[in-house]
Amino acid sequence: MTEQRKKISETTTHLKKHLPRNYRAKIALIIEENHKLPEGFKVIKKINLKSVPATMNKDIYDDSFSLLFSKVGNINVLILKSRLHFFDGVHMREIAHFIYTLKHMGVEKIISVDEVGNLNPRFKLGDITLIYDHINLMGDNPLIGENDEELGIRFPDMSNAYDSGIFEKASNVLIENKIKVNESVYLGLIGPESETEAEARFYREIGSDVLGYSIVPENITAVHARMKFLAIGLMTRDLIADKMKEDNSTEKEKEMKRNKHFKKAVGTLNKILVSLIKTI
């Protein structure tokens, strides 16, 4: 057994001790700390992931980083609330660690929700976007290094990384609820600095619609672990080339706008989140 799998096994064993009786979840949801869950979710138990064994540098773990055992009707859903970020100095394999742990706990499908910057002039801030593909410009990925065949094959096929079947089901849920379907290619970047005008123009020209700092390593790990993956972006800031310098807002004003758009996008997503869980 590789050291990587040994750590995953230790974390999984610890978490399974806290499982409610007869609880097994096939779906996991990854959300940010400030994403308030809608009605329809019942949280049974919460575990602070800073306390689990076999994880690495816990100094950078936020106290909000937690695993929620929840139910949506009669469907069990594991929720990773808050997440680890590469720009905080976290290793890619530490980000991957908790995705593999979800797999070892029985999860087969993941819905990952990320706040994103918008590059597409046809999109509107405060809306949500369904991600169907990505471009990785993070300069790293969680599969670099020794491969454990028990976790996944050495060269996983990424041609359907954002499972088309789940994507279609999610699109139909949006259409049924009269929510605009913004299909997008997600650009994965390191962050945390904002993007320059030249970068925004370049990112758009190479085929990106939105960008963010979180989803790519989660998705690569999920594909490696043979899990189906749905990604949803919450559009909170515009990165439209040649218009960025026109915004003379202060940092405080920009943050207020971002929070406003975040709340609107979360509100839109929360209207259909229960339906998504039941549909996919």
Side-chain angles (χ1 to χ4, degrees), residues 1-51:
M1 181 184 293
T2 60
E3 186 65 24
Q4 181 186 20
R5 185 151 53 96
K6 181 181 177 183
K7 289 180 177 180
I8 294 165
S9 179
E10 288 178 14
T11 299
T12 304
T13 299
H14 174 82
L15 291 174
K16 281 185 174 179
K17 291 178 182 177
H18 296 275
L19 281 173
R21 189 174 181 181
N22 299 321
Y23 185 97
R24 183 178 183 272
K26 294 184 178 181
I27 297 176
L29 174 66
I30 304 174
I31 57 176
E32 297 292 350
E33 173 193 358
N34 53 345
H35 186 146
K36 186 178 179 181
L37 291 167
E39 290 185 13
F41 279 79
K42 180 182 178 182
V43 177
I44 303 169
K45 195 170 187 178
K46 175 180 177 180
I47 296 178
N48 188 320
L49 291 176
K50 202 169 185 177
S51 66

Short mmCIF file of all heavy atoms in Angstrom, two decimals, residues 1-51:
data_model
loop_
_atom_site.label_atom_id
_atom_site.label_comp_id
_atom_site.label_asym_id
_atom_site.label_seq_id
_atom_site.Cartn_x
_atom_site.Cartn_y
_atom_site.Cartn_z
N MET A 1 0.84 -1.20 0.00
CA MET A 1 0.00 0.00 0.00
C MET A 1 0.87 1.25 0.00
O MET A 1 1.80 1.37 0.79
CB MET A 1 -0.92 0.01 1.23
CG MET A 1 -1.86 1.22 1.28
SD MET A 1 -2.88 1.29 2.78
CE MET A 1 -3.95 -0.11 2.55
N THR A 2 0.58 2.18 -0.92
CA THR A 2 1.35 3.42 -0.97
C THR A 2 1.05 4.28 0.25
O THR A 2 0.01 4.14 0.89
CB THR A 2 1.02 4.22 -2.24
OG1 THR A 2 -0.38 4.54 -2.23
CG2 THR A 2 1.35 3.42 -3.49
N GLU A 3 1.94 5.22 0.53
CA GLU A 3 1.75 6.14 1.65
C GLU A 3 0.49 6.98 1.43
O GLU A 3 -0.26 7.27 2.37
CB GLU A 3 2.97 7.04 1.80
CG GLU A 3 2.94 7.95 3.02
CD GLU A 3 2.97 7.19 4.34
OE1 GLU A 3 3.45 6.03 4.36
OE2 GLU A 3 2.51 7.77 5.35
N GLN A 4 0.25 7.36 0.18
CA GLN A 4 -0.94 8.15 -0.14
C GLN A 4 -2.22 7.39 0.21
O GLN A 4 -3.11 7.93 0.87
CB GLN A 4 -0.95 8.50 -1.64
CG GLN A 4 -2.16 9.35 -2.04
CD GLN A 4 -2.23 9.58 -3.55
OE1 GLN A 4 -1.64 8.84 -4.33
NE2 GLN A 4 -2.97 10.60 -3.97
N ARG A 5 -2.30 6.13 -0.21
CA ARG A 5 -3.51 5.35 0.07
C ARG A 5 -3.64 5.04 1.55
O ARG A 5 -4.75 4.95 2.09
CB ARG A 5 -3.52 4.07 -0.77
CG ARG A 5 -4.80 3.26 -0.64
CD ARG A 5 -5.11 2.46 -1.91
NE ARG A 5 -4.01 1.65 -2.33
CZ ARG A 5 -3.84 0.37 -2.03
NH1 ARG A 5 -4.74 -0.25 -1.27
NH2 ARG A 5 -2.81 -0.31 -2.48
N LYS A 6 -2.51 4.85 2.22
CA LYS A 6 -2.55 4.61 3.66
C LYS A 6 -3.19 5.79 4.39
O LYS A 6 -4.03 5.61 5.28
CB LYS A 6 -1.13 4.37 4.18
CG LYS A 6 -1.06 4.09 5.67
CD LYS A 6 0.38 3.90 6.13
CE LYS A 6 0.46 3.69 7.64
NZ LYS A 6 1.87 3.56 8.10
N LYS A 7 -2.83 7.02 4.00
CA LYS A 7 -3.40 8.21 4.63
C LYS A 7 -4.89 8.34 4.33
O LYS A 7 -5.69 8.70 5.20
CB LYS A 7 -2.65 9.46 4.16
CG LYS A 7 -1.24 9.57 4.70
CD LYS A 7 -0.55 10.83 4.20
CE LYS A 7 0.84 10.97 4.81
NZ LYS A 7 1.55 12.17 4.35
N ILE A 8 -5.26 8.03 3.10
CA ILE A 8 -6.68 8.07 2.72
C ILE A 8 -7.47 7.06 3.55
O ILE A 8 -8.56 7.35 4.06
CB ILE A 8 -6.86 7.78 1.22
CG1 ILE A 8 -6.24 8.91 0.39
CG2 ILE A 8 -8.33 7.60 0.86
CD1 ILE A 8 -6.05 8.56 -1.07
N SER A 9 -6.90 5.88 3.72
CA SER A 9 -7.55 4.82 4.49
C SER A 9 -7.72 5.22 5.96
O SER A 9 -8.78 4.99 6.56
CB SER A 9 -6.73 3.54 4.40
OG SER A 9 -7.32 2.51 5.15
N GLU A 10 -6.70 5.87 6.53
CA GLU A 10 -6.78 6.31 7.92
C GLU A 10 -7.87 7.36 8.11
O GLU A 10 -8.64 7.31 9.07
CB GLU A 10 -5.42 6.86 8.37
CG GLU A 10 -4.36 5.79 8.56
CD GLU A 10 -3.01 6.38 8.95
OE1 GLU A 10 -2.99 7.57 9.33
OE2 GLU A 10 -2.01 5.67 8.87
N THR A 11 -7.93 8.31 7.20
CA THR A 11 -8.96 9.35 7.28
C THR A 11 -10.35 8.74 7.12
O THR A 11 -11.28 9.06 7.86
CB THR A 11 -8.74 10.43 6.20
OG1 THR A 11 -7.48 11.05 6.41
CG2 THR A 11 -9.83 11.49 6.26
N THR A 12 -10.50 7.86 6.14
CA THR A 12 -11.79 7.22 5.87
C THR A 12 -12.26 6.40 7.07
O THR A 12 -13.43 6.48 7.48
CB THR A 12 -11.70 6.32 4.63
OG1 THR A 12 -11.24 7.08 3.52
CG2 THR A 12 -13.06 5.72 4.30
N THR A 13 -11.35 5.64 7.65
CA THR A 13 -11.69 4.82 8.82
C THR A 13 -12.17 5.68 9.97
O THR A 13 -13.17 5.37 10.64
CB THR A 13 -10.47 3.98 9.27
OG1 THR A 13 -10.08 3.11 8.20
CG2 THR A 13 -10.80 3.15 10.51
N HIS A 14 -11.48 6.80 10.20
CA HIS A 14 -11.87 7.72 11.27
C HIS A 14 -13.27 8.29 11.02
O HIS A 14 -14.11 8.31 11.92
CB HIS A 14 -10.85 8.86 11.37
CG HIS A 14 -11.24 9.94 12.34
ND1 HIS A 14 -11.02 9.84 13.70
CD2 HIS A 14 -11.85 11.14 12.14
CE1 HIS A 14 -11.47 10.93 14.30
NE2 HIS A 14 -11.98 11.73 13.38
N LEU A 15 -13.53 8.73 9.79
CA LEU A 15 -14.82 9.35 9.48
C LEU A 15 -15.96 8.34 9.53
O LEU A 15 -17.07 8.66 9.97
CB LEU A 15 -14.76 10.01 8.10
CG LEU A 15 -13.86 11.26 8.00
CD1 LEU A 15 -13.77 11.73 6.56
CD2 LEU A 15 -14.38 12.38 8.89
N LYS A 16 -15.68 7.11 9.12
CA LYS A 16 -16.74 6.09 9.13
C LYS A 16 -17.20 5.77 10.55
O LYS A 16 -18.34 5.36 10.75
CB LYS A 16 -16.25 4.82 8.43
CG LYS A 16 -16.28 4.92 6.90
CD LYS A 16 -15.89 3.60 6.25
CE LYS A 16 -16.07 3.67 4.75
NZ LYS A 16 -15.68 2.39 4.08
N LYS A 17 -16.33 5.99 11.53
CA LYS A 17 -16.72 5.77 12.93
C LYS A 17 -17.81 6.74 13.36
O LYS A 17 -18.53 6.50 14.32
CB LYS A 17 -15.50 5.92 13.84
CG LYS A 17 -14.46 4.81 13.68
CD LYS A 17 -13.26 5.06 14.58
CE LYS A 17 -12.20 3.98 14.40
NZ LYS A 17 -10.99 4.26 15.22
N HIS A 18 -17.90 7.88 12.65
CA HIS A 18 -18.88 8.90 13.00
C HIS A 18 -20.14 8.82 12.15
O HIS A 18 -21.05 9.65 12.30
CB HIS A 18 -18.25 10.29 12.86
CG HIS A 18 -17.12 10.55 13.81
ND1 HIS A 18 -17.32 11.01 15.09
CD2 HIS A 18 -15.78 10.38 13.66
CE1 HIS A 18 -16.14 11.14 15.70
NE2 HIS A 18 -15.19 10.76 14.85
N LEU A 19 -20.18 7.86 11.23
CA LEU A 19 -21.35 7.75 10.37
C LEU A 19 -22.61 7.44 11.18
O LEU A 19 -22.59 6.58 12.06
CB LEU A 19 -21.16 6.63 9.34
CG LEU A 19 -20.29 6.92 8.12
CD1 LEU A 19 -20.09 5.64 7.33
CD2 LEU A 19 -20.94 7.98 7.24
N PRO A 20 -23.71 8.13 10.89
CA PRO A 20 -24.98 7.75 11.51
C PRO A 20 -25.33 6.32 11.10
O PRO A 20 -24.88 5.82 10.06
CB PRO A 20 -25.98 8.76 10.91
CG PRO A 20 -25.14 9.91 10.46
CD PRO A 20 -23.84 9.32 10.03
N ARG A 21 -26.13 5.67 11.88
CA ARG A 21 -26.49 4.27 11.62
C ARG A 21 -27.17 4.12 10.26
O ARG A 21 -28.05 4.90 9.89
CB ARG A 21 -27.42 3.77 12.73
CG ARG A 21 -27.68 2.28 12.68
CD ARG A 21 -28.50 1.84 13.88
NE ARG A 21 -28.72 0.41 13.86
CZ ARG A 21 -29.42 -0.24 14.78
NH1 ARG A 21 -29.96 0.44 15.79
NH2 ARG A 21 -29.59 -1.55 14.70
N ASN A 22 -26.73 3.12 9.50
CA ASN A 22 -27.27 2.81 8.18
C ASN A 22 -27.14 3.96 7.18
O ASN A 22 -27.94 4.08 6.24
CB ASN A 22 -28.75 2.39 8.28
CG ASN A 22 -28.93 1.15 9.12
OD1 ASN A 22 -28.13 0.23 9.06
ND2 ASN A 22 -30.00 1.14 9.93
N TYR A 23 -26.14 4.79 7.40
CA TYR A 23 -25.95 5.96 6.52
C TYR A 23 -24.90 5.64 5.46
O TYR A 23 -23.76 5.32 5.78
CB TYR A 23 -25.51 7.16 7.35
CG TYR A 23 -25.40 8.47 6.59
CD1 TYR A 23 -26.45 9.40 6.60
CD2 TYR A 23 -24.26 8.78 5.86
CE1 TYR A 23 -26.35 10.59 5.91
CE2 TYR A 23 -24.16 9.97 5.16
CZ TYR A 23 -25.21 10.88 5.18
OH TYR A 23 -25.10 12.06 4.49
N ARG A 24 -25.28 5.75 4.19
CA ARG A 24 -24.34 5.62 3.09
C ARG A 24 -24.73 6.60 2.01
O ARG A 24 -25.86 6.59 1.53
CB ARG A 24 -24.32 4.20 2.52
CG ARG A 24 -23.29 4.02 1.41
CD ARG A 24 -23.25 2.58 0.89
NE ARG A 24 -22.21 2.41 -0.13
CZ ARG A 24 -22.38 2.63 -1.42
NH1 ARG A 24 -23.56 3.06 -1.87
NH2 ARG A 24 -21.39 2.44 -2.28
N ALA A 25 -23.81 7.48 1.65
CA ALA A 25 -24.10 8.52 0.66
C ALA A 25 -23.41 8.20 -0.66
O ALA A 25 -22.22 7.88 -0.69
CB ALA A 25 -23.65 9.88 1.18
N LYS A 26 -24.16 8.30 -1.75
CA LYS A 26 -23.60 8.12 -3.08
C LYS A 26 -23.33 9.46 -3.77
O LYS A 26 -22.70 9.51 -4.82
CB LYS A 26 -24.54 7.28 -3.95
CG LYS A 26 -24.68 5.84 -3.47
CD LYS A 26 -25.54 5.04 -4.44
CE LYS A 26 -25.65 3.59 -3.98
NZ LYS A 26 -26.47 2.78 -4.94
N ILE A 27 -23.83 10.54 -3.16
CA ILE A 27 -23.66 11.88 -3.72
C ILE A 27 -22.95 12.77 -2.71
O ILE A 27 -23.24 12.73 -1.51
CB ILE A 27 -25.02 12.52 -4.09
CG1 ILE A 27 -25.72 11.69 -5.18
CG2 ILE A 27 -24.85 13.95 -4.56
CD1 ILE A 27 -27.11 12.20 -5.53
N ALA A 28 -22.01 13.58 -3.20
CA ALA A 28 -21.33 14.57 -2.35
C ALA A 28 -21.48 15.95 -2.98
O ALA A 28 -21.54 16.09 -4.20
CB ALA A 28 -19.85 14.23 -2.19
N LEU A 29 -21.55 16.94 -2.12
CA LEU A 29 -21.67 18.34 -2.53
C LEU A 29 -20.51 19.11 -1.93
O LEU A 29 -20.22 18.97 -0.75
CB LEU A 29 -23.01 18.90 -2.03
CG LEU A 29 -23.30 20.39 -2.23
CD1 LEU A 29 -23.43 20.72 -3.72
CD2 LEU A 29 -24.57 20.80 -1.48
N ILE A 30 -19.83 19.91 -2.75
CA ILE A 30 -18.73 20.76 -2.28
C ILE A 30 -19.16 22.20 -2.43
O ILE A 30 -19.47 22.66 -3.54
CB ILE A 30 -17.43 20.51 -3.07
CG1 ILE A 30 -17.02 19.03 -3.02
CG2 ILE A 30 -16.30 21.38 -2.52
CD1 ILE A 30 -15.82 18.70 -3.90
N ILE A 31 -19.18 22.94 -1.31
CA ILE A 31 -19.61 24.33 -1.33
C ILE A 31 -18.67 25.19 -0.50
O ILE A 31 -17.89 24.68 0.29
CB ILE A 31 -21.06 24.50 -0.81
CG1 ILE A 31 -21.18 23.93 0.61
CG2 ILE A 31 -22.06 23.87 -1.76
CD1 ILE A 31 -22.55 24.14 1.25
N GLU A 32 -18.78 26.51 -0.68
CA GLU A 32 -17.97 27.43 0.09
C GLU A 32 -18.54 27.62 1.49
O GLU A 32 -19.71 27.31 1.75
CB GLU A 32 -17.88 28.79 -0.63
CG GLU A 32 -17.21 28.74 -1.98
CD GLU A 32 -15.73 28.43 -1.91
OE1 GLU A 32 -15.15 28.43 -0.80
OE2 GLU A 32 -15.12 28.17 -2.97
N GLU A 33 -17.71 28.16 2.35
CA GLU A 33 -18.09 28.35 3.76
C GLU A 33 -19.36 29.20 3.90
O GLU A 33 -20.21 28.93 4.74
CB GLU A 33 -16.93 29.02 4.50
CG GLU A 33 -17.24 29.42 5.93
CD GLU A 33 -16.18 30.33 6.51
OE1 GLU A 33 -15.19 30.61 5.82
OE2 GLU A 33 -16.36 30.77 7.66
N ASN A 34 -19.48 30.24 3.06
CA ASN A 34 -20.58 31.18 3.21
C ASN A 34 -21.80 30.82 2.35
O ASN A 34 -22.70 31.64 2.16
CB ASN A 34 -20.14 32.60 2.87
CG ASN A 34 -19.46 32.69 1.50
OD1 ASN A 34 -19.07 31.70 0.92
ND2 ASN A 34 -19.31 33.91 1.00
N HIS A 35 -21.85 29.59 1.87
CA HIS A 35 -23.01 29.13 1.11
C HIS A 35 -24.02 28.52 2.09
O HIS A 35 -23.80 27.45 2.64
CB HIS A 35 -22.58 28.08 0.08
CG HIS A 35 -23.68 27.65 -0.85
ND1 HIS A 35 -23.45 27.32 -2.17
CD2 HIS A 35 -25.02 27.49 -0.67
CE1 HIS A 35 -24.59 26.98 -2.74
NE2 HIS A 35 -25.56 27.07 -1.84
N LYS A 36 -25.10 29.22 2.29
CA LYS A 36 -26.15 28.74 3.20
C LYS A 36 -27.03 27.74 2.47
O LYS A 36 -27.57 28.03 1.41
CB LYS A 36 -26.99 29.91 3.72
CG LYS A 36 -28.00 29.52 4.76
CD LYS A 36 -28.77 30.74 5.27
CE LYS A 36 -29.81 30.34 6.31
NZ LYS A 36 -30.58 31.51 6.81
N LEU A 37 -27.17 26.57 3.06
CA LEU A 37 -27.97 25.51 2.43
C LEU A 37 -29.45 25.88 2.42
O LEU A 37 -29.96 26.50 3.36
CB LEU A 37 -27.78 24.19 3.16
CG LEU A 37 -26.39 23.55 3.02
CD1 LEU A 37 -26.23 22.43 4.03
CD2 LEU A 37 -26.19 23.03 1.60
N PRO A 38 -30.17 25.46 1.38
CA PRO A 38 -31.60 25.77 1.29
C PRO A 38 -32.44 24.83 2.14
O PRO A 38 -31.96 23.82 2.65
CB PRO A 38 -31.90 25.56 -0.20
CG PRO A 38 -30.95 24.48 -0.60
CD PRO A 38 -29.69 24.73 0.19
N GLU A 39 -33.71 25.15 2.25
CA GLU A 39 -34.65 24.24 2.89
C GLU A 39 -34.69 22.94 2.09
O GLU A 39 -34.56 22.95 0.87
CB GLU A 39 -36.05 24.87 2.95
CG GLU A 39 -36.17 26.04 3.90
CD GLU A 39 -37.59 26.55 4.01
OE1 GLU A 39 -38.50 25.83 3.53
OE2 GLU A 39 -37.80 27.64 4.55
N GLY A 40 -34.86 21.86 2.79
CA GLY A 40 -34.85 20.57 2.12
C GLY A 40 -33.63 19.76 2.50
O GLY A 40 -33.60 18.54 2.32
N PHE A 41 -32.61 20.45 3.03
CA PHE A 41 -31.41 19.77 3.54
C PHE A 41 -31.53 19.63 5.05
O PHE A 41 -31.79 20.60 5.76
CB PHE A 41 -30.15 20.57 3.22
CG PHE A 41 -29.62 20.39 1.83
CD1 PHE A 41 -30.21 21.05 0.76
CD2 PHE A 41 -28.54 19.55 1.58
CE1 PHE A 41 -29.73 20.89 -0.53
CE2 PHE A 41 -28.05 19.39 0.31
CZ PHE A 41 -28.65 20.06 -0.76
N LYS A 42 -31.30 18.43 5.53
CA LYS A 42 -31.28 18.19 6.97
C LYS A 42 -29.88 17.71 7.34
O LYS A 42 -29.45 16.64 6.92
CB LYS A 42 -32.32 17.14 7.36
CG LYS A 42 -32.34 16.82 8.86
CD LYS A 42 -33.35 15.74 9.19
CE LYS A 42 -33.34 15.41 10.68
NZ LYS A 42 -34.31 14.32 11.00
N VAL A 43 -29.16 18.52 8.12
CA VAL A 43 -27.82 18.15 8.56
C VAL A 43 -27.92 17.31 9.82
O VAL A 43 -28.45 17.76 10.84
CB VAL A 43 -26.94 19.40 8.81
CG1 VAL A 43 -25.57 18.98 9.34
CG2 VAL A 43 -26.78 20.20 7.51
N ILE A 44 -27.41 16.09 9.76
CA ILE A 44 -27.50 15.15 10.88
C ILE A 44 -26.29 15.31 11.81
O ILE A 44 -26.41 15.25 13.03
CB ILE A 44 -27.57 13.70 10.36
CG1 ILE A 44 -28.75 13.54 9.42
CG2 ILE A 44 -27.65 12.72 11.52
CD1 ILE A 44 -28.75 12.23 8.67
N LYS A 45 -25.13 15.52 11.21
CA LYS A 45 -23.90 15.58 12.00
C LYS A 45 -22.85 16.38 11.25
O LYS A 45 -22.83 16.40 10.02
CB LYS A 45 -23.39 14.15 12.26
CG LYS A 45 -22.34 14.04 13.36
CD LYS A 45 -22.10 12.57 13.70
CE LYS A 45 -21.19 12.44 14.91
NZ LYS A 45 -20.99 11.01 15.28
N LYS A 46 -21.97 17.03 12.01
CA LYS A 46 -20.90 17.83 11.42
C LYS A 46 -19.57 17.44 12.06
O LYS A 46 -19.46 17.31 13.27
CB LYS A 46 -21.17 19.32 11.66
CG LYS A 46 -20.06 20.25 11.20
CD LYS A 46 -20.43 21.71 11.48
CE LYS A 46 -19.31 22.66 11.09
NZ LYS A 46 -19.66 24.08 11.37
N ILE A 47 -18.54 17.26 11.22
CA ILE A 47 -17.20 16.92 11.70
C ILE A 47 -16.21 17.95 11.18
O ILE A 47 -16.14 18.19 9.97
CB ILE A 47 -16.78 15.51 11.26
CG1 ILE A 47 -17.69 14.46 11.87
CG2 ILE A 47 -15.33 15.23 11.65
CD1 ILE A 47 -17.37 13.05 11.46
N ASN A 48 -15.45 18.55 12.09
CA ASN A 48 -14.39 19.47 11.70
C ASN A 48 -13.23 18.67 11.14
O ASN A 48 -12.65 17.83 11.83
CB ASN A 48 -13.95 20.30 12.91
CG ASN A 48 -12.99 21.42 12.51
OD1 ASN A 48 -12.13 21.25 11.67
ND2 ASN A 48 -13.17 22.58 13.13
N LEU A 49 -12.88 18.90 9.88
CA LEU A 49 -11.85 18.09 9.23
C LEU A 49 -10.44 18.40 9.72
O LEU A 49 -9.49 17.69 9.40
CB LEU A 49 -11.95 18.26 7.71
CG LEU A 49 -13.20 17.64 7.09
CD1 LEU A 49 -13.29 17.94 5.61
CD2 LEU A 49 -13.25 16.15 7.34
N LYS A 50 -10.32 19.47 10.48
CA LYS A 50 -9.03 19.78 11.07
C LYS A 50 -8.65 18.72 12.11
O LYS A 50 -7.48 18.55 12.46
CB LYS A 50 -9.08 21.16 11.73
CG LYS A 50 -7.73 21.83 11.93
CD LYS A 50 -7.91 23.28 12.33
CE LYS A 50 -6.57 23.99 12.41
NZ LYS A 50 -6.73 25.43 12.73
N SER A 51 -9.64 17.98 12.58
CA SER A 51 -9.42 17.01 13.65
C SER A 51 -9.14 15.60 13.15
O SER A 51 -8.80 14.72 13.93
CB SER A 51 -10.64 16.96 14.57
OG SER A 51 -11.77 16.43 13.87
#
